[in-house]
Amino acid sequence: MTIRMTRREFAIATGAVLARPALAQSDALLTRAIPSSGERLPAVGLGTAQVFNTNDEATRQKAAAVLQSLIAGDGRLVDTSSVYGDAEAVLGDVIAPAGLRGKLFVATKLEAPDAAELKRSLARLKTEKLDLLQFHNVRDPQQSLAQFKDWKAQGVARYIGITSTRHADFAAIEAVLAREKPDFVQIDYSIDDREAEKRILPLAAEVNAGVLTALPFGRARLFRAVKGLAVPEWARGFAESWAQFFLKYLLADPRVTAVIPGTADAAHMTDNLGAMRGPLPDPDQRRQMVAFIEAL
């Protein structure tokens, strides 16, 4: 699901971006250490669910522009999946000819520990190695990651992880995370959906796993909730847009390694990357942010 129109509508309605003083862009880039290795990763990346579904010229042009914005804004992380329509193929068709592979941290997901599925993803992405390979939508608490660990040992992937965006599967995620101790866990987490704060983030810290936050805008719920509203005065010291408000709430938790909002709009990619600059909200401000959203 894209959020282009929603964000443009409220930006036009409020004039908030134009009226607000820009945050200092000289501030240090926010990166986070991957717990299992210490490698630093820029804290804002790109999600590709439902934004690059069709491998046609128009989609490839959008993907190229978004990736250019990502790299220009010091981002690296691109997260996709074998089941996101043609997203892997779109990315491969853009990344390989432009020689961008070395500038990106490429993550994808498989629905099963299936060698054929992996081979297809590598071919579509036009790469021999992945930075992160994830078991998508884990539902079985007894799920083994043995095959993923073997692929990591073979050098096919530098890191492995598990994912879920369904609270009904959090028990399975907790069981597999505790037993298998992958490098990453990717979960649904936004300011209006904070179940992960109580269940997944503490366990991830305990087992030394990085955390990627999918759907940080709540499937566009958050933009709909603030439509026609300006970012409040008390938040303008750390957020110059609603996107940065929502993303910085998550990034203010040091257990979050990176946020991965999806977009097919280069300007929105640049706006999202702004969450890696300037101050983060402190604990009191985070509570104020939650209260503000809950009162809408």
Side-chain angles (χ1 to χ4, degrees):
M1 179 182 298
T2 63
I3 55 173
R4 298 191 297 273
M5 295 307 297
T6 304
R7 198 183 301 186
R8 286 182 178 135
E9 287 170 0
F10 74 67
I12 292 170
T14 65
V17 172
L18 294 177
R20 189 174 309 123
L23 296 178
Q25 292 302 301
S26 60
D27 290 341
L29 179 75
L30 178 63
T31 63
R32 291 275 162 81
I34 298 172
S36 64
S37 70
E39 177 184 355
R40 307 295 298 189
L41 190 64
V44 176
L46 169 65
T48 60
Q50 300 185 34
V51 295
F52 300 138
N53 281 7
T54 305
N55 193 7
D56 55 26
E57 183 60 26
T59 304
R60 289 191 294 272
Q61 288 181 0
K62 289 179 181 178
V66 169
L67 288 172
Q68 287 169 4
S69 293
L70 174 72
I71 293 169
D74 296 319
R76 290 182 57 217
L77 171 59
V78 179
D79 180 79
T80 190
S81 169
S82 65
V83 294
Y84 289 175
D86 289 335
E88 287 182 327
V90 170
L91 291 172
D93 286 348
V94 171
I95 292 169
L100 300 178
R101 180 64 184 90
K103 298 180 179 181
L104 296 170
F105 184 102
V106 176
T108 196
K109 313 179 192 76
L110 305 182
E111 293 290 295
D114 182 345
E117 187 180 358
L118 173 62
K119 182 178 180 180
R120 175 175 177 263
S121 290
L122 292 171
R124 282 162 47 117
L125 286 163
K126 293 182 169 60
T127 187
E128 295 181 355
K129 297 180 180 180
L130 297 162
D131 294 294
L132 171 59
L133 180 62
Q134 301 158 100
F135 194 122
H136 198 23
N137 295 325
V138 168
R139 296 187 173 95
D140 179 1
Q142 300 305 316
Q143 181 64 59
S144 169
L145 296 184
Q147 181 61 72
F148 283 73
K149 291 177 180 179
D150 284 347
W151 285 327
K152 179 182 176 181
Q154 294 165 21
V156 177
R158 298 197 299 127
Y159 300 100
I160 61 169
I162 57 175
T163 82
S164 178
T165 55
R166 297 178 67 250
H167 290 184
D169 294 330
F170 271 14
I173 286 288
E174 289 169 322
V176 176
L177 186 57
R179 185 183 63 253
E180 301 284 341
K181 297 178 175 58
D183 300 299
F184 281 92
V185 58
Q186 181 180 149
I187 39 81
D188 180 359
Y189 179 32
S190 59
I191 192 172
D192 70 338
D193 185 355
R194 303 184 303 281
E195 183 69 14
E197 284 183 354
K198 296 178 282 187
R199 299 181 59 177
I200 307 302
L201 269 62
L203 180 57
E206 182 179 324
V207 302
N208 218 34
V211 175
L212 303 181
T213 63
L215 305 175
F217 300 141
R219 299 185 190 275
R221 288 189 312 271
L222 292 170
F223 288 111
R224 290 192 294 269
V226 299
K227 184 178 179 180
L229 301 177
V231 174
E233 289 288 344
W234 51 263
R236 293 188 182 186
F238 60 81
E240 62 177 10
S241 69
W242 280 117
Q244 293 174 23
F245 182 98
F246 302 138
L247 296 177
K248 284 196 171 187
Y249 174 82
L250 305 179
L251 292 173
D253 190 318
R255 297 170 296 186
V256 171
T257 308
V259 295
I260 46 173
T263 184
D265 187 302
H268 293 170
M269 184 74 259
T270 298
D271 186 20
N272 295 341
L273 290 165
M276 293 196 293
R277 306 285 184 179
L280 294 172
D282 63 30
D284 287 341
Q285 289 170 322
R286 287 186 93 225
R287 286 188 285 270
Q288 193 172 8
M289 294 166 80
V290 170
F292 179 88
I293 295 298
E294 290 183 341
L296 294 176

